[in-house]
Amino acid sequence: MKQFTVHRGVAAPLLRVNVDTDAIIPSREMKLVSKHGLGEGLFAGWRYTAPGGREPEPQFVLNRPEYSGASILLSGRNFGCGSSREHAVWALAEYGIRAIVAPSFGVIFQGNCERNGILPVVLEDAAVQALAAEVAPDPQRCQVEIDLQQQRVLSPAGHSYGFDIASSSRQMLLQGLDQIGSTLQRLDEIEAFERELRQRRPWLFEL
Amino acid sequence: MRVAGSTTAGNMTKTLFEKLWSDHEVARLEDGDSLVYIDRVFLHERTGSVALESLSSEGRVIRAPSRVFCSMDHIVDTLPGRGDETLVPNGKNFIQSTRQASRQAGIRLFDVNDSEQGIVHVVSPELGIVQPGCTLVCPDSHTCSQGALGALAWGIGSSQAEHAMATNTLVVKKPRTMRVTFNGQLPALVSAKDMILHLIARYTTAGGAGYAIEFAGEAVSALDVEARLTLCNMAVEFSAFTALIAPDEKVIDYLRGRTYAPGGANWEAAAAYWRSLHSDADASFDREIEVDCSQLAPFVSWGTSPQQACEVSGQVPVPDAGLEASDSTTLRKAFEYMDVQPGQALRELAIDGAFIGSCTNSRISDLREAAAILRGRQVASGVRAICVPGSQAVKREAEAEGLDQVFTAAGFEWREPGCSMCFYAGGEGFGAGQRVVSSTNRNFEGRQGPGVRSHLASPATVAASALAGRLADPREYLP
Ligand code: SF4
């Protein structure tokens, strides 16, 4: 998994509340047997002019030239609510999104982000609005910096906003460990347990 | 002098769930999570190949491939003469990539037309893969079915399936415990399906949220193993973490000699351990519910949530004047979608389709129950009736008993094993606006096809309704 320490990039405003995972990746876009190839379907319902089509909708923020290459999303509360589909996070990651700044997140979505190297940053609505306003005049130059080590967001004009994150999530992202990676650090413990379980319940290992 | 006292007594009494949990808890982690050892992983072609491909692309290995299984059930067609081609758009792709990924990973695959193929939750018990006291996970929400044999079995997400294969563990928050005691004796033609529909209707679909539920009591002991699988199957519709039932001699007899059941000297040791798996007499649960089964009647759902269900002889409810606005909106939407009127008798509702199948009710005992009602009778004209055995083994057994003849003579289609029209994935479904009585577990909008109106019921009730051409109480057809 990609590490997250400090990231600086173009921040795109998507200032709606309740952006659900079906909007992030519609189920008709989940046609491949893979976590990959989903980036193109990201926000498909908003990003393209017709369902299933690929003609860009010029008004959609990620299609506007001034926001091209955006790697940070600024959004309203309850981002990522709805279906638990992990495809939503896979699509964001493949598109190149590294962090999402919003007042709150869907719980399962938030965990899925952290397991896939995307940093969910919780900031008050006023702070998100202020960031968007500072970025707007020239998004390519007015970039946002997010420092996970220091737990702060630095606005283009130099305003600093601190944020909270669970220590286990922070560690996982800083080290780029996915949960498999961090569990495998306990492999000795697992193997010792397994040896003992095999003695107690040998039939479980008989297959 | 040591006194056998309160300090130990409090720690010693355990529920069945706590026994299984502590037998598999590798470590306690921060934030109240535990690292739990996983004995078996089951996959299917809808999510399995994604998990397998992603694992190998990350360079991870499956620690114990001999304890990972995969069945083709969700996307595969159930029409006679099927192959890899399916009616689900892109379905062939899922099937073939699952086959390839399974071969590469060296896991056991029950392929499209293998003699052991079938729905995961039907195949796992009948092959003895799930056993009392084991932990089993599958990226499928109805994995709770398998708790019926006294296992700790639950549904997980796709990343968690990868985690389980790569580490033989999962990070899980320990659920609370609930016991639901079903007292008394079930009346004739009232089944496990009616028990669980009744429970959900009475305590709502949120009733089991956060709990591992033990089903117990006289009526549960009286159920055979297959009916217990039906009971546990819909624990997820009750929002439970999972369900389980203490294994008894019926379970031990059921498992004896099955392909993957313990053999030789291990059999006796395993059976002795299984006999110890029950909640201690004075163990306490976080919540207890009691249900009197002697008064139960055949149930059927009338709405778009499993909790919107009542006796077949009942009526669509009339909303209370005092209901919250959001609740009455939900009810109104259900009435509209289902095209039913408040106060309407359910037995007046004419049906277009009847479906017997799914991991809830597609086992041999389910087919026998339906066939007993269908024998020598005819499905009402205009009703499309379909029977899909849950596995190749169920199909073989049914055919050996001549049940396929009973179904086809009555006017049912007789299919190849799989999930089939239990869920719609862009392929086969009943038509928009059609009313279908179904032995499945979910009646959500669009579950069996866009605009399809599903009524959940037992196989006996589905069979009786197919004959009547409307929702019907199977007791109308008592011999
Ligand atoms: S039969 Fe239906 S509920 Fe059961 S596993 Fe298949 S699709 Fe899911």
Side-chain angles (χ1 to χ4, degrees), chain B residues 44 46 73-74 119-121 140-143 145 233 237 355 357-360 362 418-424 440-442 447:
Chain B
H44 56 73
R46 197 167 186 225
D73 57 1
H74 275 69
I119 304 171
V120 168
H121 316 303
D140 186 279
S141 59
H142 290 100
T143 308
S145 314
N233 176 270
E237 274 66 50
F355 182 85
S358 88
C359 56
T360 323
S362 64
C419 297
S420 195
M421 284 179 352
C422 170
F423 87 116
Y424 177 77
T440 53
N441 48 41
R442 283 187 177 147
R447 171 74 178 183

mmCIF file of all heavy atoms in Angstrom, chain B residues 44 46 73-74 119-121 140-143 145 233 237 355 357-360 362 418-424 440-442 447, ligand 1:
data_model
loop_
_atom_site.group_PDB
_atom_site.id
_atom_site.type_symbol
_atom_site.label_atom_id
_atom_site.label_comp_id
_atom_site.label_asym_id
_atom_site.label_seq_id
_atom_site.Cartn_x
_atom_site.Cartn_y
_atom_site.Cartn_z
ATOM 1 N N HIS B 44 -16.720 -17.470 -3.888
ATOM 2 C CA HIS B 44 -17.545 -17.799 -5.058
ATOM 3 C C HIS B 44 -17.133 -16.896 -6.212
ATOM 4 O O HIS B 44 -16.352 -15.958 -6.012
ATOM 5 C CB HIS B 44 -19.038 -17.691 -4.737
ATOM 6 C CG HIS B 44 -19.454 -16.354 -4.202
ATOM 7 N ND1 HIS B 44 -19.530 -15.237 -4.996
ATOM 8 C CD2 HIS B 44 -19.783 -15.951 -2.956
ATOM 9 C CE1 HIS B 44 -19.918 -14.210 -4.264
ATOM 10 N NE2 HIS B 44 -20.058 -14.605 -3.010
ATOM 11 N N ARG B 46 -18.377 -14.536 -7.879
ATOM 12 C CA ARG B 46 -18.717 -13.121 -7.998
ATOM 13 C C ARG B 46 -17.658 -12.239 -7.339
ATOM 14 O O ARG B 46 -17.384 -11.151 -7.784
ATOM 15 C CB ARG B 46 -20.086 -12.840 -7.375
ATOM 16 C CG ARG B 46 -20.655 -11.513 -7.844
ATOM 17 C CD ARG B 46 -22.114 -11.397 -7.482
ATOM 18 N NE ARG B 46 -22.680 -10.186 -8.058
ATOM 19 C CZ ARG B 46 -23.461 -9.353 -7.389
ATOM 20 N NH1 ARG B 46 -23.748 -9.592 -6.124
ATOM 21 N NH2 ARG B 46 -23.956 -8.292 -7.969
ATOM 22 N N ASP B 73 -21.458 -20.403 -8.181
ATOM 23 C CA ASP B 73 -22.885 -20.454 -7.872
ATOM 24 C C ASP B 73 -23.650 -19.195 -8.262
ATOM 25 O O ASP B 73 -24.752 -19.254 -8.768
ATOM 26 C CB ASP B 73 -23.100 -20.765 -6.373
ATOM 27 C CG ASP B 73 -22.408 -19.771 -5.440
ATOM 28 O OD1 ASP B 73 -21.780 -18.822 -5.938
ATOM 29 O OD2 ASP B 73 -22.491 -19.953 -4.214
ATOM 30 N N HIS B 74 -23.023 -18.022 -8.096
ATOM 31 C CA HIS B 74 -23.781 -16.776 -8.220
ATOM 32 C C HIS B 74 -24.137 -16.387 -9.655
ATOM 33 O O HIS B 74 -25.222 -15.899 -9.925
ATOM 34 C CB HIS B 74 -22.997 -15.624 -7.590
ATOM 35 C CG HIS B 74 -23.201 -15.509 -6.117
ATOM 36 N ND1 HIS B 74 -22.731 -16.431 -5.227
ATOM 37 C CD2 HIS B 74 -23.841 -14.580 -5.380
ATOM 38 C CE1 HIS B 74 -23.075 -16.063 -4.000
ATOM 39 N NE2 HIS B 74 -23.747 -14.940 -4.071
ATOM 40 N N ILE B 119 -24.527 -24.110 -4.408
ATOM 41 C CA ILE B 119 -24.464 -22.859 -3.648
ATOM 42 C C ILE B 119 -23.538 -23.080 -2.447
ATOM 43 O O ILE B 119 -23.673 -24.080 -1.729
ATOM 44 C CB ILE B 119 -25.863 -22.439 -3.163
ATOM 45 C CG1 ILE B 119 -26.834 -22.311 -4.340
ATOM 46 C CG2 ILE B 119 -25.790 -21.127 -2.384
ATOM 47 C CD1 ILE B 119 -28.287 -22.111 -3.929
ATOM 48 N N VAL B 120 -22.618 -22.144 -2.250
ATOM 49 C CA VAL B 120 -21.632 -22.231 -1.170
ATOM 50 C C VAL B 120 -22.215 -22.785 0.135
ATOM 51 O O VAL B 120 -21.685 -23.741 0.704
ATOM 52 C CB VAL B 120 -21.046 -20.817 -0.901
ATOM 53 C CG1 VAL B 120 -20.259 -20.795 0.384
ATOM 54 C CG2 VAL B 120 -20.173 -20.375 -2.042
ATOM 55 N N HIS B 121 -23.313 -22.190 0.593
ATOM 56 C CA HIS B 121 -23.833 -22.542 1.920
ATOM 57 C C HIS B 121 -24.610 -23.862 1.922
ATOM 58 O O HIS B 121 -25.064 -24.320 2.959
ATOM 59 C CB HIS B 121 -24.682 -21.402 2.481
ATOM 60 C CG HIS B 121 -24.040 -20.062 2.276
ATOM 61 N ND1 HIS B 121 -22.780 -19.791 2.752
ATOM 62 C CD2 HIS B 121 -24.447 -18.954 1.600
ATOM 63 C CE1 HIS B 121 -22.450 -18.548 2.385
ATOM 64 N NE2 HIS B 121 -23.432 -18.037 1.686
ATOM 65 N N ASP B 140 -19.643 -13.352 1.525
ATOM 66 C CA ASP B 140 -21.057 -13.492 1.196
ATOM 67 C C ASP B 140 -21.841 -13.356 2.490
ATOM 68 O O ASP B 140 -21.533 -14.033 3.474
ATOM 69 C CB ASP B 140 -21.330 -14.853 0.563
ATOM 70 C CG ASP B 140 -22.763 -14.945 0.082
ATOM 71 O OD1 ASP B 140 -23.655 -15.219 0.912
ATOM 72 O OD2 ASP B 140 -22.996 -14.711 -1.112
ATOM 73 N N SER B 141 -22.850 -12.502 2.476
ATOM 74 C CA SER B 141 -23.506 -12.167 3.737
ATOM 75 C C SER B 141 -24.268 -13.344 4.368
ATOM 76 O O SER B 141 -24.495 -13.345 5.564
ATOM 77 C CB SER B 141 -24.434 -10.973 3.549
ATOM 78 O OG SER B 141 -25.403 -11.263 2.582
ATOM 79 N N HIS B 142 -24.647 -14.352 3.576
ATOM 80 C CA HIS B 142 -25.413 -15.459 4.158
ATOM 81 C C HIS B 142 -24.558 -16.589 4.726
ATOM 82 O O HIS B 142 -25.058 -17.694 4.990
ATOM 83 C CB HIS B 142 -26.442 -15.975 3.154
ATOM 84 C CG HIS B 142 -27.546 -14.979 2.952
ATOM 85 N ND1 HIS B 142 -27.587 -14.140 1.872
ATOM 86 C CD2 HIS B 142 -28.586 -14.642 3.740
ATOM 87 C CE1 HIS B 142 -28.629 -13.326 1.991
ATOM 88 N NE2 HIS B 142 -29.251 -13.611 3.116
ATOM 89 N N THR B 143 -23.285 -16.299 4.938
ATOM 90 C CA THR B 143 -22.386 -17.279 5.548
ATOM 91 C C THR B 143 -22.856 -17.656 6.961
ATOM 92 O O THR B 143 -22.550 -18.743 7.456
ATOM 93 C CB THR B 143 -20.956 -16.701 5.581
ATOM 94 O OG1 THR B 143 -20.632 -16.253 4.264
ATOM 95 C CG2 THR B 143 -19.938 -17.727 6.020
ATOM 96 N N SER B 145 -25.508 -18.812 7.733
ATOM 97 C CA SER B 145 -26.248 -20.092 7.644
ATOM 98 C C SER B 145 -25.485 -21.209 8.329
ATOM 99 O O SER B 145 -26.048 -22.051 9.021
ATOM 100 C CB SER B 145 -26.421 -20.530 6.186
ATOM 101 O OG SER B 145 -26.832 -19.493 5.359
ATOM 102 N N ASN B 233 -29.785 -19.009 8.268
ATOM 103 C CA ASN B 233 -29.559 -18.287 7.013
ATOM 104 C C ASN B 233 -29.995 -16.835 7.078
ATOM 105 O O ASN B 233 -29.300 -15.932 6.606
ATOM 106 C CB ASN B 233 -30.316 -19.017 5.882
ATOM 107 C CG ASN B 233 -30.238 -18.302 4.546
ATOM 108 O OD1 ASN B 233 -31.070 -17.478 4.220
ATOM 109 N ND2 ASN B 233 -29.219 -18.622 3.764
ATOM 110 N N GLU B 237 -30.562 -11.034 7.820
ATOM 111 C CA GLU B 237 -31.725 -10.161 7.613
ATOM 112 C C GLU B 237 -32.196 -9.582 8.949
ATOM 113 O O GLU B 237 -32.949 -8.621 8.991
ATOM 114 C CB GLU B 237 -32.869 -10.938 6.956
ATOM 115 C CG GLU B 237 -32.803 -10.979 5.435
ATOM 116 C CD GLU B 237 -31.618 -11.737 4.889
ATOM 117 O OE1 GLU B 237 -31.401 -12.882 5.340
ATOM 118 O OE2 GLU B 237 -30.895 -11.203 4.036
ATOM 119 N N PHE B 355 -40.916 -19.583 -7.054
ATOM 120 C CA PHE B 355 -39.506 -19.957 -7.122
ATOM 121 C C PHE B 355 -39.110 -20.758 -5.881
ATOM 122 O O PHE B 355 -39.291 -20.294 -4.752
ATOM 123 C CB PHE B 355 -38.640 -18.692 -7.224
ATOM 124 C CG PHE B 355 -37.162 -18.964 -7.351
ATOM 125 C CD1 PHE B 355 -36.585 -19.220 -8.591
ATOM 126 C CD2 PHE B 355 -36.349 -18.984 -6.229
ATOM 127 C CE1 PHE B 355 -35.221 -19.480 -8.710
ATOM 128 C CE2 PHE B 355 -34.985 -19.245 -6.332
ATOM 129 C CZ PHE B 355 -34.424 -19.493 -7.576
ATOM 130 N N GLY B 357 -35.768 -22.420 -4.316
ATOM 131 C CA GLY B 357 -34.317 -22.482 -4.466
ATOM 132 C C GLY B 357 -33.653 -21.588 -3.450
ATOM 133 O O GLY B 357 -34.290 -21.147 -2.495
ATOM 134 N N SER B 358 -32.357 -21.306 -3.619
ATOM 135 C CA SER B 358 -31.506 -20.426 -2.806
ATOM 136 C C SER B 358 -30.914 -21.129 -1.596
ATOM 137 O O SER B 358 -31.371 -22.191 -1.181
ATOM 138 C CB SER B 358 -32.245 -19.169 -2.333
ATOM 139 O OG SER B 358 -32.904 -19.410 -1.112
ATOM 140 N N CYS B 359 -29.907 -20.473 -1.009
ATOM 141 C CA CYS B 359 -29.246 -21.045 0.166
ATOM 142 C C CYS B 359 -30.182 -21.138 1.363
ATOM 143 O O CYS B 359 -29.878 -21.806 2.344
ATOM 144 C CB CYS B 359 -28.006 -20.228 0.518
ATOM 145 S SG CYS B 359 -28.339 -18.475 0.783
ATOM 146 N N THR B 360 -31.342 -20.487 1.292
ATOM 147 C CA THR B 360 -32.310 -20.596 2.389
ATOM 148 C C THR B 360 -33.053 -21.929 2.333
ATOM 149 O O THR B 360 -33.199 -22.608 3.348
ATOM 150 C CB THR B 360 -33.348 -19.447 2.310
ATOM 151 O OG1 THR B 360 -32.704 -18.269 1.888
ATOM 152 C CG2 THR B 360 -34.031 -19.235 3.642
ATOM 153 N N SER B 362 -33.183 -24.834 -0.472
ATOM 154 C CA SER B 362 -33.016 -25.592 -1.723
ATOM 155 C C SER B 362 -32.422 -26.960 -1.455
ATOM 156 O O SER B 362 -31.846 -27.573 -2.333
ATOM 157 C CB SER B 362 -32.092 -24.828 -2.664
ATOM 158 O OG SER B 362 -30.806 -24.742 -2.068
ATOM 159 N N GLY B 418 -27.531 -23.665 -8.495
ATOM 160 C CA GLY B 418 -26.921 -22.338 -8.429
ATOM 161 C C GLY B 418 -27.853 -21.367 -7.727
ATOM 162 O O GLY B 418 -28.948 -21.740 -7.299
ATOM 163 N N CYS B 419 -27.411 -20.113 -7.612
ATOM 164 C CA CYS B 419 -28.222 -19.078 -6.949
ATOM 165 C C CYS B 419 -29.421 -18.698 -7.807
ATOM 166 O O CYS B 419 -30.488 -18.366 -7.301
ATOM 167 C CB CYS B 419 -27.384 -17.837 -6.674
ATOM 168 S SG CYS B 419 -26.020 -18.131 -5.539
ATOM 169 N N SER B 420 -29.206 -18.699 -9.120
ATOM 170 C CA SER B 420 -30.293 -18.499 -10.065
ATOM 171 C C SER B 420 -31.056 -17.205 -9.800
ATOM 172 O O SER B 420 -30.452 -16.176 -9.511
ATOM 173 C CB SER B 420 -31.220 -19.711 -10.025
ATOM 174 O OG SER B 420 -32.091 -19.739 -11.135
ATOM 175 N N MET B 421 -32.379 -17.268 -9.814
ATOM 176 C CA MET B 421 -33.180 -16.048 -9.698
ATOM 177 C C MET B 421 -33.402 -15.588 -8.257
ATOM 178 O O MET B 421 -34.280 -14.781 -7.997
ATOM 179 C CB MET B 421 -34.479 -16.229 -10.444
ATOM 180 C CG MET B 421 -34.108 -16.106 -11.880
ATOM 181 S SD MET B 421 -35.174 -16.248 -13.172
ATOM 182 C CE MET B 421 -36.641 -16.674 -13.202
ATOM 183 N N CYS B 422 -32.574 -16.065 -7.341
ATOM 184 C CA CYS B 422 -32.577 -15.502 -5.993
ATOM 185 C C CYS B 422 -32.150 -14.040 -6.037
ATOM 186 O O CYS B 422 -32.611 -13.229 -5.257
ATOM 187 C CB CYS B 422 -31.621 -16.277 -5.091
ATOM 188 S SG CYS B 422 -31.348 -15.490 -3.505
ATOM 189 N N PHE B 423 -31.254 -13.713 -6.958
ATOM 190 C CA PHE B 423 -30.835 -12.311 -7.087
ATOM 191 C C PHE B 423 -30.619 -11.975 -8.548
ATOM 192 O O PHE B 423 -30.332 -12.836 -9.372
ATOM 193 C CB PHE B 423 -29.574 -12.038 -6.250
ATOM 194 C CG PHE B 423 -28.285 -12.324 -6.969
ATOM 195 C CD1 PHE B 423 -27.395 -11.302 -7.248
ATOM 196 C CD2 PHE B 423 -27.974 -13.612 -7.374
ATOM 197 C CE1 PHE B 423 -26.197 -11.565 -7.921
ATOM 198 C CE2 PHE B 423 -26.784 -13.881 -8.044
ATOM 199 C CZ PHE B 423 -25.897 -12.851 -8.319
ATOM 200 N N TYR B 424 -30.782 -10.712 -8.854
ATOM 201 C CA TYR B 424 -30.683 -10.248 -10.228
ATOM 202 C C TYR B 424 -29.351 -9.550 -10.443
ATOM 203 O O TYR B 424 -29.007 -8.637 -9.698
ATOM 204 C CB TYR B 424 -31.831 -9.282 -10.518
ATOM 205 C CG TYR B 424 -31.792 -8.690 -11.893
ATOM 206 C CD1 TYR B 424 -32.203 -9.443 -12.997
ATOM 207 C CD2 TYR B 424 -31.362 -7.396 -12.093
ATOM 208 C CE1 TYR B 424 -32.170 -8.901 -14.272
ATOM 209 C CE2 TYR B 424 -31.333 -6.843 -13.370
ATOM 210 C CZ TYR B 424 -31.739 -7.604 -14.450
ATOM 211 O OH TYR B 424 -31.709 -7.061 -15.702
ATOM 212 N N THR B 440 -36.740 -17.685 -1.110
ATOM 213 C CA THR B 440 -35.448 -17.028 -0.897
ATOM 214 C C THR B 440 -35.464 -16.174 0.382
ATOM 215 O O THR B 440 -36.359 -16.314 1.208
ATOM 216 C CB THR B 440 -35.111 -16.178 -2.135
ATOM 217 O OG1 THR B 440 -36.218 -15.312 -2.400
ATOM 218 C CG2 THR B 440 -34.904 -17.063 -3.348
ATOM 219 N N ASN B 441 -34.483 -15.286 0.509
ATOM 220 C CA ASN B 441 -34.341 -14.552 1.774
ATOM 221 C C ASN B 441 -34.438 -13.039 1.661
ATOM 222 O O ASN B 441 -34.433 -12.340 2.668
ATOM 223 C CB ASN B 441 -33.000 -14.923 2.417
ATOM 224 C CG ASN B 441 -31.855 -14.847 1.420
ATOM 225 O OD1 ASN B 441 -31.793 -13.931 0.608
ATOM 226 N ND2 ASN B 441 -30.952 -15.808 1.468
ATOM 227 N N ARG B 442 -34.449 -12.477 0.457
ATOM 228 C CA ARG B 442 -34.516 -11.017 0.343
ATOM 229 C C ARG B 442 -35.622 -10.607 -0.619
ATOM 230 O O ARG B 442 -35.696 -11.124 -1.734
ATOM 231 C CB ARG B 442 -33.175 -10.435 -0.127
ATOM 232 C CG ARG B 442 -32.180 -10.407 1.001
ATOM 233 C CD ARG B 442 -30.895 -9.688 0.667
ATOM 234 N NE ARG B 442 -30.055 -9.682 1.868
ATOM 235 C CZ ARG B 442 -28.725 -9.744 1.864
ATOM 236 N NH1 ARG B 442 -28.075 -9.804 0.727
ATOM 237 N NH2 ARG B 442 -28.067 -9.740 2.992
ATOM 238 N N ARG B 447 -34.758 -7.087 -6.306
ATOM 239 C CA ARG B 447 -33.885 -8.203 -5.953
ATOM 240 C C ARG B 447 -33.967 -9.346 -6.973
ATOM 241 O O ARG B 447 -32.990 -9.993 -7.292
ATOM 242 C CB ARG B 447 -34.267 -8.718 -4.550
ATOM 243 C CG ARG B 447 -33.598 -10.017 -4.136
ATOM 244 C CD ARG B 447 -32.142 -9.826 -3.780
ATOM 245 N NE ARG B 447 -31.546 -11.089 -3.338
ATOM 246 C CZ ARG B 447 -30.309 -11.225 -2.912
ATOM 247 N NH1 ARG B 447 -29.499 -10.187 -2.873
ATOM 248 N NH2 ARG B 447 -29.837 -12.390 -2.533
HETATM 249 S S1 SF4 C 1 -28.726 -18.202 -3.039
HETATM 250 FE FE1 SF4 C 1 -29.156 -16.015 -3.008
HETATM 251 S S2 SF4 C 1 -28.770 -15.350 -0.922
HETATM 252 FE FE2 SF4 C 1 -27.848 -17.359 -1.165
HETATM 253 S S3 SF4 C 1 -25.717 -16.984 -1.675
HETATM 254 FE FE3 SF4 C 1 -26.843 -17.167 -3.619
HETATM 255 S S4 SF4 C 1 -27.483 -15.093 -4.166
HETATM 256 FE FE4 SF4 C 1 -26.845 -15.052 -2.002
#
